Structure formats: structure tokens, C-alpha cells
């Protein structure tokens, strides 16, 4: 049996050949599978699991009824299936929450114990879809929950089309079907994090009339720039793992195969970027300073058109944050306001709430109130790199110098002692003048860190793991900027052509650093770490990049090569003598 097939499709007016991999097949009634016994941590959370087809209505838990494997026909005749959970003894019509993704709508059925990494056992019921609202909580709060197997997923017909126009049209059709069901009050919301958040922006941009609000908690919004080719460096193994985990009877849009076929920006990749200007309903967004969804989560909040939008940025990992009881109650207030029309004061919620990190698992401030992001009072400041002393200083460096390191195993570290307590919140970017000795390209991986007075690295922790710091990446041949998307604080690469290096050529590169928020105390050091590889150990996600490095990397500073780090300094809100309030 072939593992792949192709078909011609239109993307943004461009006809392209799409590559689909054959999905792994759903289990049958004779199979006895317990995913919790798997050595793969993602399998152990039930991702992609699809149990046998079994249409029925049954009591799923105390006070909760489930209509299982309900068929819904799309505009082109394709049938998809969903599980709908609702309160057993409802009196009035109720709103519905939709989990829209290809992850598998009943993963808990393949588990002896349903547990999500970073979340204690039995916190989330076995009715919950991966990264989605838990019916055993929301049904008891007076909501229905629709767990959907999107087109091609599970027993749904067709082929999985990830984050595409087709997926958005299907989302529109499903929401419009759901909104007119006899038990529904006509208001539908969407919820969920990560992949389930990514779909919300896209479906909302198609403006289904019954969609009243969304809560995209941590989701990539530009698949090419933030996931497949971050900085122009291909990251294919993790995305291949995601595609391989999808279960269905058809094919799966193979983004990895497409990345190999179309390594530069084109209609296929643009088709996966939401039209933020068309998102006009209330949105509650979250982002995590430690997560690879970070850039997209904050981009989504910034770009959506609606004025009814809220952002909460935390230091925790997404799953622990999503099921935290305080956060669930917060989300309930949002849903109650826009899905039940309860005037509960939600509008008084600060538009932006930020955790300002310090060291290890300590935060300097938690859920600090702000009016927007980036912060209006930001003072953008440049610290100039000096390779002669491997340091940074506040003004341009007069003398030119350089540092070299092995592109596979070496690194360059620039430190600057902080003279007074300094908060950096927002976007940084790093400009480097670089040369590849012995090759025509180079991949650069950047971490922005802090160290103590003796130079010892001070990480922050997430899931008890040391995080390397705010990050950025670039493949130097992708250095050309998109003038329409770039700003004075956020350089954005166009990825429309490759500019290979010639022998001895020195070029400037502007490297976008993901947003962050952290305090540096007097005497601590601000550190820039540059290497040709991703420096991190012991992390559970199989993150890896396909680098193109040979020979040595050269970084030039000073003189005509003013390499610098631009940082977002946040002044205190109030200061009286030595007293400072941030």
C-alpha cells in the first residue's frame, strides 16, 4: 500500500500539487489497546486515538449525557462525526463549546487512566478531547461540548486538510448546524489550546453567524514562520510526528512533505495564515513565555480586528495552565458573558495580564495589569556587542573585532552587567554581522538569558525543566525582510528567495526574538548566546532542526560592523527616591 498520494488543489489562487500521507487506521472492535502503556509521552496522552465507530446515546458521567458519533453533512456532501455532551436534565436551551481538531475526539477511551503531562491524574476526565474543554466540567456549568473529528479524522469522511480554507469552510458549516439544534440557544463558542487553538482563529475569520466568541489558548498563527521554517530553518521531525499521529480512513495533509517540495513561501503556506481583519467577535487569548506557540499567540492577539479582546501571558506550560481551577473560572466568566449574556462584569477584566518572570520558578509579578501589548511605555534601547571583550555596552563600539566558533559544537556568549534593576518586556531583536568560513550558508540559534554576578546561568523553570531563555533563529540565506510585516522592534523575514553567501562575504542579519517578560536585578548579567545548534537538554517534545552548517561561524562587531541587541526596557510606573513600583 502506498504511504502517500497527491492531488491538485488551489491555494490563494495558486494551483499546486498537494501531498497527503495515508493516515493510520482507527482501531476495530477486536483490538484491545491501552495507550497509557506507551513509552511515547504523546501517545500516552491519547493523541490521535480513534476507537471503533459506535453510534449511541448514553450516560457518560453523573449528570452528563452523550450523543456519540453524530453525523453532520458538509456543503460538499462529505459527512463528519462528532460526540456531543450536555447536561442530562437541562430545562432551558444552552450554548455549545466546540473542540475543532484532527486529534481524535475520544482519546480517553484508549486509556486505563487519562493523564496529561504536567497535570495530576484524575484532574481531567476521560471524556475530554486532547487539549480541549472537559465535558465533565463544562456540562455541569450549563454548556454542551461538541468534540469533533474534522474532515478525514477518525471515522469522518475525506482527507485531513490542516489549517486550510477547506477546514475553515467545514468549521463554518458545523457551527451553523450546531447553532440551530433544538437544545442550543443559538450561541456557539470555541475553546481549547495548542492545535485546537490554531483552528479557532481560522474558522472565526470565516464569520459563521452562530459563532459568538472564541478562546484560543496558545496557538501558532503562521505555520511556515512559527513551526515548519522558524527563521528559515526547517523543523520537520516534530511536525512529521504530528502528521503520523493522525488517525483516519483517508489521507493527511503532509506539511513536512510539502515543506520539502515548497521550501519557500507560496500560496500553500499563505492559505494557512488567518485573515485577522475578519475576526470581529470577542476573543480571550493566552500565551506562555516558555512555549513554541508564543509568537503566534501574541501575534494573534495583536492582529485580530475585534476591540473585545483579552490577553493573558503566563510562565507555565500550556496544559497545566489550561486546567488550572482559577483559569477555568476565569474562562467561565468570559463564556458566561458572551454565550449566556450574563452581565457579570467581564468587561472590567484587564485587556492584558502579564507574568513577569525572575529566576527558576519565581515570578517577579503575576498577572500584572496592562492596557495593550507591546507596552506603550516601552523604551527601546540598543546594547552593542564587542567581540574583543565578549561583552555588550550602551553605545557603539569603536574598534572592530570578531569572534569565531565551530558551527557544529561551538558558541559565542556576550555578557553585560546590569547597573540597576531592569525589566525587559516585549520584543527584542538581534542584529549581527556574520560570515560563514567554509560554506555558503549558516544557521544561527539565539538564546537571551540572565546570569549572576559570577556568570552562572540563571534559567527559569517550566515543568521542573530549565528553560534556555527567549529565543530566535535564522538561516542566513533567508535574511531578506518583509517590509510590510516588519516594524522597528520586530523584523519579519519574507522567505521568498534564498540569498546564499559567497566566500568572505559579511552580511547583516536581523534576528527576531520572541516576546518575553523578565526582571534583571542590579549586578546580574544580560547574556546573548549564539550557536549553530539548538541548545537544550531533557525536554519531552521531540523538537529538532535540520541545520545547514559547515566550517566556522564568524561574528563581527564594532567599527563598521555595529552588531547590537535591541531590548524593550520598561520604566517603573512610579518612583519616589529608592522606592519603585512596577
Amino acid at each position: 500500500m502506498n504511504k502517500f498520494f497527491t492531488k491538485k488543489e488551489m491555494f490563494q489562487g495558486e494551483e499546486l500539487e498537494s501531498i497527503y500521507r495515508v493516515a493510520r487506521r482507527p482501531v476495530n472492535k477486536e483490538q484491545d489497546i491501552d495507550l497509557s502503556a506507551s513509552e511515547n509521552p504523546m501517545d500516552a496522552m491519547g493523541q490521535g486515538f480513534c476507537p471503533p465507530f459506535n453510534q449511541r446515546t448514553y450516560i457518560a458521567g453523573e449528570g452528563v449525557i452523550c450523543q456519540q458519533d453524530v453525523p453532520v453533512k458538509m456543503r460538499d456532501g462529505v459527512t463528519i462525526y462528532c460526540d456531543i455532551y450536555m447536561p442530562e436534565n437541562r430545562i432551558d436551551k444552552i450554548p455549545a463549546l466546540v473542540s475543532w481538531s484532527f486529534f481524535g475526539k475520544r482519546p480517553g477511551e484508549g486509556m486505563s487512566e487519562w493523564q496529561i503531562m504536567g497535570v495530576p491524574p484524575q484532574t481531567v476526565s476521560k471524556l475530554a478531547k486532547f487539549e480541549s474543554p472537559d465535558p465533565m466540567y463544562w456540562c455541569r456549568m450549563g454548556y454542551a461540548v461538541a468534540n469533533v473529528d474534522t474532515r478525514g479524522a477518525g471515522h469522518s469522511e475525506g482527507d485531513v486538510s490542516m489549517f486550510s480554507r477547506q477546514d475553515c469552510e467545514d468549521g463554518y458549516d458545523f457551527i451553523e448546524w450546531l447553532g440551530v439544534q433544538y437544545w442550543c440557544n443559538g450561541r456557539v463558542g470555541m475553546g481549547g489550546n495548542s492545535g485546537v487553538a490554531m483552528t479557532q482563529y481560522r474558522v472565526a475569520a470565516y464569520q459563521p453567524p452562530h459563532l459568538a466568541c472564541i478562546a484560543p489558548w496558545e496557538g501558532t498563527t503562521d505555520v511556515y514562520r512559527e513551526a515548519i521554517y522558524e527563521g528559515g530553518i526547517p523543523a520537520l521531525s516534530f511536525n512529521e510526528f504530528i502528521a503520523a499521529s493522525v488517525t483516519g480512513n483517508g489521507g493527511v495533509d503532509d506539511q513536512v512533505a510539502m515543506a520539502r517540495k515548497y521550501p519557500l513561501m507560496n500560496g500553500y503556506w499563505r492559505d494557512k495564515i488567518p485573515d485577522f481583519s475578519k475576526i470581529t467577535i470577542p476573543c480571550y487569548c493566552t500565551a506562555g513565555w516558555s512555549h513554541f506557540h508564543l509568537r503566534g499567540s501574541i501575534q494573534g492577539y495583536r492582529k485580530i480586528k475585534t476591540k473585545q479582546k483579552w490577553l493573558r501571558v503566563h510562565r507555565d506550560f500550556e496544559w497545566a495552565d489550561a486546567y488550572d481551577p482559577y483559569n477555568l473560572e476565569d474562562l467561565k466568566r468570559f463564556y458566561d458573558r458572551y454565550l449566556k449574556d450574563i452581565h457579570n462584569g467581564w468587561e472590567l477584566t484587564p485587556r492584558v495580564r502579564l507574568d513577569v518572570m525572575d529566576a527558576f520558578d519565581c515570578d517577579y509579578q503575576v498577572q500584572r495589569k496592562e492596557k495593550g501589548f507591546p507596552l506603550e511605555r516601552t523604551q527601546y534601547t540598543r546594547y552593542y556587542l564587542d567581540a574583543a571583550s565578549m561583552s555588550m555596552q550602551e553605545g557603539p563600539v569603536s574598534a572592530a573585532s570578531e569572534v569565531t566558533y565551530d558551527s557544529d559544537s561551538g558558541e559565542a556568549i556576550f555578557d553585560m552587567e546590569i547597573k540597576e534593576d531592569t525589566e525587559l518586556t516585549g520584543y527584542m531583536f538581534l542584529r549581527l554581522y556574520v560570515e560563514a568560513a567554509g560554506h555558503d550558508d549558516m544557521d544561527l540559534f539565539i538564546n537571551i538569558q540572565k546570569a549572576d554576578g559570577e556568570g552562572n546561568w540563571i534559567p527559569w523553570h517550566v515543568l521542573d525543566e530549565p528553560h534556555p531563555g527567549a529565543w530566535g533563529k535564522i538561516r542566513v540565506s533567508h535574511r531578506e525582510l518583509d517590509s510590510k510585516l516588519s516594524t522597528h522592534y520586530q523584523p519579519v523575514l519574507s522567505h521568498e528567495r534564498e540569498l546564499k553567501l559567497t566566500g568572505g562575504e559579511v552580511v547583516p542579519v536581523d534576528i527576531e526574538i520572541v516576546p518575553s517578560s523578565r526582571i534583571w536585578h542590579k549586578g546580574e548579567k544580560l547574556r546573548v548566546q549564539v550557536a549553530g545548534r539548538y541548545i537544550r537538554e531533557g525536554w519531552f517534545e521531540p523538537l529538532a532542526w535540520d541545520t545547514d552548517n559547515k566550517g566556522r561561524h564568524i561574528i563581527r562587531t564594532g567599527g563598521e560592523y555595529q552588531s547590537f541587541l535591541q531590548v524593550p526596557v520598561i520604566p517603573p510606573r512610579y518612583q519616589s527616591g529608592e522606592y519603585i513600583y512596577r
Side-chain angles (χ1 to χ4, degrees), residues 59-351:
I59 302 299
E62 184 177 350
V64 177
I65 193 169
C66 177
Q67 299 173 359
Q68 185 169 289
D69 287 327
V70 176
V72 183
K73 193 174 291 292
M74 303 291 97
R75 67 186 68 178
D76 63 353
V78 165
T79 297
I80 67 173
Y81 293 93
C82 64
D83 297 341
I84 299 177
Y85 300 88
M86 64 184 69
E88 182 182 9
N89 296 314
R90 67 189 182 280
I91 299 175
D92 300 321
K93 292 187 175 184
I94 58 176
L97 302 176
V98 175
S99 169
W100 185 265
S101 78
F102 46 77
F103 286 145
K105 58 185 172 63
R106 286 201 306 281
E109 198 166 306
M111 312 285 278
S112 60
E113 186 175 89
W114 172 234
Q115 183 179 356
I116 301 168
M117 190 170 293
V119 180
Q122 300 181 357
T123 300
V124 183
S125 83
K126 292 174 69 173
L127 306 183
K129 188 176 177 179
F130 183 58
E131 301 184 324
S132 300
D134 186 348
M136 286 303 289
Y137 174 80
W138 289 104
C139 290
R140 288 170 173 169
M141 298 298 113
Y143 290 84
V145 176
N147 289 350
V148 185
D149 275 342
T150 58
R151 178 183 296 250
H155 299 286
S156 295
E157 297 172 356
D159 301 319
V160 174
S161 184
M162 293 186 179
F163 315 119
S164 67
R165 174 194 55 78
Q166 179 65 71
D167 191 54
C168 296
E169 290 178 354
D170 289 348
Y172 181 107
D173 292 349
F174 180 81
I175 287 167
E176 290 310 289
W177 172 87
L178 190 65
V180 297
Q181 295 305 295
Y182 70 92
W183 50 262
C184 184
N185 71 353
R187 297 185 182 187
V188 178
M190 300 183 79
N193 58 292
S194 193
V196 193
M198 294 167 66
T199 62
Q200 293 178 52
Y201 289 111
R202 292 157 174 82
V203 173
Y206 278 65
Q207 301 181 333
H210 286 94
L211 183 61
C213 65
I214 59 173
W217 284 20
E218 304 196 48
T220 295
T221 51
D222 186 329
V223 171
Y224 183 99
R225 289 185 173 91
E226 297 160 10
I228 302 292
Y229 274 98
E230 186 182 6
I233 307 173
L236 304 186
S237 60
F238 179 72
N239 293 284
E240 189 158 22
F241 159 78
I242 294 295
S245 73
V246 178
T247 302
N249 288 305
V252 180
D253 174 20
D254 195 319
Q255 296 180 122
V256 171
M258 294 295 280
R260 294 190 175 107
K261 185 177 182 66
Y262 303 111
L264 296 175
M265 183 65 72
N266 67 357
Y268 172 79
W269 301 113
R270 292 189 183 95
D271 187 57
K272 299 181 184 297
I273 302 174
D275 185 347
F276 297 105
S277 69
K278 294 182 179 178
I279 301 176
T280 57
I281 57 176
C283 301
Y284 178 1
C285 310
T286 77
W289 297 128
S290 308
H291 202 284
F292 62 75
H293 288 308
L294 171 60
R295 182 189 188 272
S297 300
I298 292 183
Q299 288 285 100
Y301 167 78
R302 288 176 53 207
K303 290 190 172 186
I304 52 182
K305 184 178 181 180
T306 180
K307 294 181 179 180
Q308 295 174 294
K309 59 181 179 179
W310 289 265
L311 173 67
R312 180 174 56 82
V313 194
H314 59 90
R315 64 120 76 231
D316 216 341
F317 196 74
E318 59 177 325
W319 301 322
D321 177 81
Y323 296 107
D324 181 279
Y326 177 86
N327 297 335
L328 283 175
E329 288 298 312
D330 199 49
L331 180 58
K332 179 179 178 297
R333 286 192 290 272
F334 172 76
Y335 282 146
D336 282 352
R337 177 66 187 91
Y338 297 111
L339 296 177
K340 294 185 177 182
D341 198 27
I342 296 174
H343 288 256
N344 54 14
W346 170 261
E347 290 87 349
L348 291 171
T349 303
R351 289 308 178 108

Side-chain angles (χ1 to χ4, degrees), residues 39-59:
E39 295 181 358
N40 186 319
M42 302 300 275
D43 278 350
M45 291 184 287
Q47 189 187 56
F49 179 72
C50 178
F53 190 75
N54 184 16
Q55 287 185 320
R56 58 174 177 153
T57 299
Y58 71 103
I59 302 299

